[in-house]
């Protein structure tokens, strides 16, 4: 589950830092029948502001009123949704750094004593994480131990566990 907005990876024009923090603030500017909207982010090094284009010269009538209301209200949920949009990331040439911006909710540790554990992992957002890391944290195991369990066939899944994933998956752990 995400705990905060991820850092935006983009080079700062003022200090050459590569990290910006988005706080969920928007700037909206209208020119007669056209509207522009940007998500604002502050450089973690110098505090300079960068604008991530959300709408560019869009016809005002083509923009849903609900979206305009959320932009004007600086809706942080909208900011999170937009940062996860691959079209917005590609248009603005940015990447996201999710380090420290998510947590693992395991629902308790009473299941760890069982001989066979079937687990379904559900992502609250499209956060790129290696399943090996999630399994290690969720089961209280070192990553090397998880790697050993995969190699000996005690940990199996329908997906590749040593590559980054952003979607739901399941695995079975046999002890």
């Amino acid at each position: 589950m995400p705990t905060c907005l991820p850092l935006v990876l983009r080079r700062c024009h003022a200090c050459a830092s590569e990290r910006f923090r988005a706080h969920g603030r928007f700037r909206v500017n209208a020119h007669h029948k056209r509207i522009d909207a940007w998500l604002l982010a502050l450089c973690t090094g110098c505090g300079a502001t960068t604008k991530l284009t959300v709408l560019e010269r869009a016809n005002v009538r083509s923009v849903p009123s609900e979206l305009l209301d959320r932009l004007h209200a600086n809706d942080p949920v909208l900011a999170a949704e937009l940062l996860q949009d691959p079209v917005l990331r590609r248009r603005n040439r940015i990447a996201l750094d999710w380090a420290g911006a998510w947590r693992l909710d395991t629902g308790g540790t009473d299941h760890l004593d069982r001989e066979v554990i079937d687990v379904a992992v559900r992502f609250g957002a499209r956060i790129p994480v290696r399943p090996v890391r999630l399994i290690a944290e969720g089961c209280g195991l070192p990553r090397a131990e998880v790697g050993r369990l995969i190699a000996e066939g005690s940990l199996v899944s329908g997906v590749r566990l040593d590559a980054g994933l952003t979607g739901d998956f399941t695995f079975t752990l046999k002890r």
Side-chain angles (χ1 to χ4, degrees):
M1 301 184 77
T3 58
C4 62
L5 293 175
L7 291 175
V8 175
L9 300 178
R10 174 190 237 180
R11 190 166 190 89
C12 179
H13 68 281
C15 73
S17 172
E18 294 187 0
R19 299 190 185 291
F20 286 83
R21 174 144 326 267
H23 294 285
R25 304 240 186 258
F26 294 92
R27 177 163 184 234
V28 180
N29 193 11
H31 306 281
H32 302 289
K33 295 180 182 179
R34 303 288 178 191
I35 191 165
D36 296 315
W38 300 275
L39 174 61
L40 303 177
L42 299 176
C43 176
T44 58
C46 67
T49 302
T50 190
K51 298 186 292 187
L52 306 176
T53 303
V54 176
L55 298 172
E56 185 172 34
R57 300 287 182 202
N59 188 324
V60 174
R61 292 179 187 256
S62 69
V63 179
S65 60
E66 177 188 308
L67 176 61
L68 283 175
D69 291 342
R70 291 176 74 188
L71 288 168
H72 286 297
N74 291 320
D75 185 358
V77 175
L78 176 62
E81 291 170 4
L82 290 171
L83 282 174
Q84 292 179 31
D85 182 15
V87 174
L88 181 123
R89 290 197 316 255
R90 189 172 37 256
R91 178 190 311 149
N92 289 286
R93 296 185 188 106
I94 62 169
L96 301 178
D97 179 8
W98 283 96
W102 61 275
R103 69 178 170 83
L104 179 64
D105 184 12
T106 60
T109 58
D110 59 339
H111 61 279
L112 297 178
D113 298 337
R114 297 186 187 149
E115 182 102 5
V116 177
I117 304 171
D118 287 319
V119 178
V121 178
R122 306 271 182 254
F123 283 77
R126 296 182 52 86
I127 302 170
V129 178
R130 292 181 186 264
V132 170
R133 180 176 180 190
L134 288 178
I135 294 167
E137 287 186 30
C139 295
L141 300 169
R143 282 194 221 172
E145 176 71 13
V146 173
R148 187 186 63 76
L149 290 170
I150 292 171
E152 68 184 29
S154 297
L155 179 58
V156 293
S157 178
V159 299
R160 191 170 163 202
L161 295 174
D162 59 351
L165 282 179
T166 59
D168 301 343
F169 68 97
T170 59
F171 68 90
T172 302
L173 176 62
K174 303 172 200 162
R175 296 195 183 218

